[in-house]
Amino acid sequence: DVQLVESGGGSVQTGGSLTLSCQASGYTVGSKRTMAWFRQGLAKGREGVAAIFLHEGTTFYADSVKDRTTNRFTISHDNAKNTVYLQMNTLKPGDTAMYYCAAARDRVWPVFDANEYDTWGQGTQVTVS
């Protein structure tokens, strides 16, 4: 079976950091063209926060995870470990949500169109207080 398993969530204070991991099984991360992290808070819709075109290394970030021109979040991948990461810094209460990783066979555009992703993880909770 093709699976994505997220880990690394937890509770952190405002200004803290967390790193989420998304371990792929049943296929190699490199066989997908796009991977992304989405989040969904209480009473909110699913929001894309970071994405990467794996072959090109091009990354994308939502405005909500930027401070002025600086990205608070960083998406990266390690093909040898079949894992995609989301490094989250300067966390705010508004970042509280369930975080999901997702994979798409092709390059996705618009990159945060959730309907274009064919594989999803079960989510990991991040709580910032």
Side-chain angles (χ1 to χ4, degrees):
D1 291 344
V2 174
Q3 280 191 320
L4 296 174
V5 179
E6 301 96 332
S7 62
S11 296
V12 65
Q13 292 187 334
T14 299
S17 299
L18 282 174
T19 299
L20 306 183
S21 299
C22 174
Q23 174 78 50
S25 63
Y27 74 99
T28 57
V29 167
S31 70
K32 299 287 187 177
R33 296 294 301 274
T34 309
M35 291 198 70
W37 286 93
F38 288 78
R39 67 185 181 187
Q40 186 163 10
L42 287 176
K44 296 182 181 179
R46 188 163 292 190
E47 173 194 24
V49 296
I52 183 168
F53 289 161
L54 292 173
H55 293 187
E56 297 85 353
T58 309
T59 57
F60 306 89
Y61 298 94
D63 288 342
S64 60
V65 302
K66 297 177 181 178
D67 278 339
R68 297 180 183 269
T69 60
T70 302
N71 293 321
R72 297 187 294 117
F73 292 8
T74 302
I75 187 170
S76 62
H77 69 106
D78 185 333
N79 284 349
K81 296 182 178 180
N82 227 25
T83 301
V84 173
Y85 302 97
L86 184 68
Q87 172 68 44
M88 305 185 295
N89 297 323
T90 320
L91 284 162
K92 305 175 180 181
D95 295 318
T96 295
M98 185 72 80
Y99 283 72
Y100 301 88
C101 70
R105 185 184 64 184
D106 300 315
R107 281 194 299 180
V108 175
W109 196 261
V111 73
F112 295 133
D113 183 350
N115 293 324
E116 295 297 320
Y117 290 84
D118 50 63
T119 306
W120 291 81
Q122 83 291 345
T124 186
Q125 178 69 36
V126 172
T127 302
V128 185
S129 59

